[in-house]
Amino acid sequence: MSLAAANADLPRWMIYGATGYTGELMAREAVRRGLKPVLAGRDAGKVQRLADELGLECRVFGVSPAVPAEALQGMRLVLHCAGPFSATSAPMVEACLQAGAHYLDITGEVDVFEAVHARGVEAERAGVVLCPGVGFDVVPSDCLAASLKEALPGATQLALGFMGGGGFSRGTA
């Protein structure tokens, strides 16, 4: 099966905040891997330019105070990359619950983790996953630790080292 045929069988998904620093990196990597997310954000010009460059569909909408009902139509998953998540996560989570779309975000904000976790029963009823923090933060490092514990059951400690460079993105700052 060709990659194009396999991609056609995938559920439709969206990157919201696609023109921000991390959102654009995600969009470019998705395309590099042969995927075709729908790009979305609030700035029509920026979203359309990136979508045209990458050959992708786009949608333009804001998340405050709420996400328009039709914005997530046909989406099975939303990767939310538009912060500050303390202001943008709740409306997007609500929209995902209403649309039956899985929700992922790249936050590192503890209050957002707690707020999203508090909606777990609603997510279960809606048949969706709500998973904040899928960027380089709590989820990936916890998954790494769990994998290493399984591979090395006798290990008693784990030291992680990180090297940064280039400063903070506008969103992180």
Side-chain angles (χ1 to χ4, degrees), residues 37-53:
V38 174
L39 304 184
R42 69 182 195 282
D43 186 315
K46 287 181 180 179
V47 174
Q48 188 65 60
R49 277 190 295 279
L50 183 60
D52 288 347
E53 178 189 338

Side-chain angles (χ1 to χ4, degrees), residues 57-128:
E57 178 187 341
C58 70
R59 296 184 184 178
V60 177
F61 61 93
V63 297
S64 181
V67 175
E70 66 280 358
L72 304 186
Q73 185 175 3
M75 294 300 115
R76 187 64 183 126
L77 178 139
V78 174
L79 174 56
H80 183 53
C81 299
F85 295 93
S86 58
T88 65
S89 174
M92 186 62 82
V93 166
E94 181 62 32
C96 286
L97 288 168
Q98 297 303 315
H102 301 293
Y103 170 91
L104 308 173
D105 74 30
I106 59 168
T107 191
E109 299 172 38
V110 174
D111 290 348
V112 174
F113 279 92
E114 291 171 345
V116 173
H117 177 74
R119 307 217 46 197
V121 172
E122 293 171 84
E124 190 172 339
R125 273 192 236 123
V128 300

Side-chain angles (χ1 to χ4, degrees), residues 12-54:
R12 296 188 68 212
W13 64 289
M14 173 183 286
I15 298 174
Y16 186 82
T19 61
Y21 179 77
T22 303
E24 185 174 335
L25 290 174
M26 299 278 201
R28 292 184 183 284
E29 181 62 18
V31 168
R32 189 187 75 73
R33 292 175 180 245
L35 301 172
K36 296 202 173 283
V38 174
L39 304 184
R42 69 182 195 282
D43 186 315
K46 287 181 180 179
V47 174
Q48 188 65 60
R49 277 190 295 279
L50 183 60
D52 288 347
E53 178 189 338
L54 298 177

